[in-house]
Amino acid sequence: MLTTPIHEITHPRYPVIDYHNHLDAQDPEHVLRIMDACGIEHIVNITMKVGDEALRMIDRYHQASPARFSTIGWMDWTGVERNDFIALSLERLERLVERGAIGFKFWKDLGLTIRDVSGELLQVDDERLAPIFERCGELGIPVMVHIGDPEAFFLPIDANNERFEELSAHPDWSFYGATFSKHQLLEQRDRVFRRHPKTTFVAAHVAENGEDLQRVTAMLNANPNVLVDISARASELGRQPFSARRFFLRFADRILFGADLVPDIEMYRLYYRFLETEDEYFEYPTHASRQGRWNICGMNLPDDVLRKVYRENALRLLPSNRARI
């Protein structure tokens, strides 16, 4: 029965760089039409392909529009049991960068499912991985990390779980009973940040801790080499709009816009409404099964913060594209 003002934001106040999306299954021409319709200037495709397929994906989007697409490469665990795996990984990294990759991503399989030659679960902060993080720093490319998942994904899928519907639709997303707790995984990740101060890291999904902005604040204060993106976390930020707004004002130089959802006009417009208005209690951008039984409120961010979050912060990570964007 709630009736509140509605502000439909069809175009963002400033051009937008979507720094976190997955376009492997999309048609580049269709994506470009979506981008034109809702003010998206550039999208970074985080390919989930590896090997030659990853190189072809880089080529595919570069050929579609080099000024409007970039690609982040994906950590390939094939051959993790080999004694020369790190050397092999460094060769793979070099190939990706030579082909045009502008970043490198470690996903949540690290710490949750990847095992070494002895069968032991590979920890996020395993020193054997250090040469890869160091080489990314030397190459000047950021490392995106998606370590862990929402708090609810580590709890039983039952009536007490606030993401019950989402996890019921995607039971494979549950990590209840995992060897490491979510907080242990984040502690491992944070040790990597501290060990590699010359490497730039992007902690995806509000550092996988959108439910606890106090912890994210402490992590960012301790690690000046880390940025966060907001992809797929409007749901978490928008249910704490006062705290979230303070967080954005404090870290305006270190927050990146990202969607992590199939490009869609209405999806992007919901993000703009969340960032640019003070509308109350509206739906958040999400996938079909939604993320929780709540709605969000807008943050009404000031212009200087919007410019940085929408575009300027991402430009710092896209040096080869700066002149063309």
Side-chain angles (χ1 to χ4, degrees):
M1 301 296 294
L2 184 67
T3 301
T4 59
I6 297 174
H7 298 90
E8 299 289 352
I9 309 298
T10 60
H11 280 74
R13 206 171 300 168
Y14 303 99
V16 168
I17 295 175
D18 181 352
Y19 193 79
H20 186 141
N21 220 312
H22 300 280
L23 306 179
D24 288 352
Q26 306 301 314
D27 171 26
E29 295 304 320
H30 172 71
V31 176
L32 283 167
R33 289 192 290 272
I34 298 293
M35 294 166 70
D36 290 341
C38 50
I40 302 293
E41 184 176 44
H42 193 89
I43 294 184
V44 176
N45 175 37
I46 306 167
T47 181
M48 299 179 75
K49 305 293 186 181
V50 296
D52 290 340
E53 285 188 278
L55 300 179
R56 287 193 288 271
M57 193 60 64
I58 293 173
D59 292 345
R60 182 186 185 205
Y61 277 93
H62 182 81
Q63 291 164 7
S65 180
R68 303 194 70 188
F69 295 114
S70 298
T71 303
I72 287 177
W74 193 264
M75 179 62 184
D76 184 357
W77 295 106
T78 306
V80 68
E81 72 286 351
R82 292 171 47 166
N83 291 329
D84 64 344
F85 176 69
I86 297 303
L88 178 62
S89 296
L90 291 171
E91 291 176 7
R92 292 167 173 166
L93 171 63
E94 298 277 357
R95 287 184 70 200
L96 289 168
V97 174
E98 288 172 2
R99 200 63 159 253
I102 55 91
F104 195 58
K105 182 171 182 179
F106 282 82
W107 195 49
K108 60 188 175 184
D109 49 359
L110 176 60
L112 286 169
T113 62
I114 300 297
R115 297 182 180 274
D116 65 15
V117 64
S118 68
E120 290 294 317
L121 202 61
L122 195 63
Q123 294 192 189
V124 180
D125 59 346
D126 192 300
E127 282 284 12
R128 288 171 290 184
L129 300 174
I132 303 175
F133 297 119
E134 283 296 301
R135 186 60 181 142
C136 287
E138 293 166 358
L139 291 169
I141 63 169
V143 178
M144 180 176 283
V145 289
H146 172 171
I147 301 299
D149 258 335
E151 299 281 354
F153 287 19
F154 289 82
L155 299 175
I157 305 176
D158 60 24
N160 295 313
N161 193 309
E162 69 175 10
R163 292 189 180 224
F164 176 75
E165 290 84 1
E166 180 182 32
L167 289 167
S168 296
H170 306 280
D172 55 311
W173 292 1
S174 172
F175 294 108
Y176 178 60
T179 301
F180 298 116
S181 70
K182 171 176 174 174
H183 292 284
Q184 288 174 320
L185 291 168
L186 296 185
E187 287 169 1
Q188 293 172 22
R189 179 204 65 189
D190 293 355
R191 280 193 286 274
V192 173
F193 294 160
R194 293 193 297 272
R195 289 175 183 171
H196 304 280
K198 295 182 180 180
T199 300
T200 297
F201 291 90
V202 176
H205 313 304
V206 196
E208 278 305 347
N209 221 180
E211 308 95 329
D212 187 354
L213 292 181
Q214 296 175 86
R215 190 192 188 286
V216 182
T217 294
M219 183 276 292
L220 289 173
N221 284 337
N223 299 282
N225 57 325
V226 180
L227 297 87
V228 301
D229 76 38
I230 65 169
S231 60
R233 293 299 180 269
S235 57
E236 296 294 349
L237 297 168
R239 60 173 171 167
Q240 49 180 329
F242 302 126
S243 295
R245 191 176 194 276
R246 287 192 295 269
F247 179 80
F248 272 71
L249 295 181
R250 181 169 182 174
F251 295 109
D253 294 316
R254 298 171 67 186
I255 300 173
L256 302 161
F257 179 89
D260 193 29
L261 295 166
V262 175
D264 174 81
I265 293 173
E266 294 308 315
M267 177 272 290
Y268 281 120
R269 288 175 176 175
L270 280 174
Y271 268 112
Y272 306 156
R273 187 180 179 193
F274 166 57
L275 295 168
E276 296 186 25
T277 81
E278 56 183 21
D279 285 4
E280 298 171 298
Y281 210 69
F282 56 93
E283 291 192 0
Y284 51 82
T286 185
H287 48 70
S289 54
R290 303 195 79 219
Q291 294 173 297
R293 311 178 197 107
W294 59 81
N295 283 347
I296 63 171
C297 298
M299 293 191 295
N300 190 26
L301 294 175
D303 284 2
D304 60 329
V305 176
L306 285 173
R307 281 195 299 269
K308 293 175 180 179
V309 172
Y310 274 154
R311 184 174 189 267
E312 292 175 4
N313 295 339
L315 276 179
R316 300 203 313 269
L317 304 183
L318 302 172
S320 63
N321 292 292
R322 189 176 296 142
R324 293 181 295 179
I325 295 178

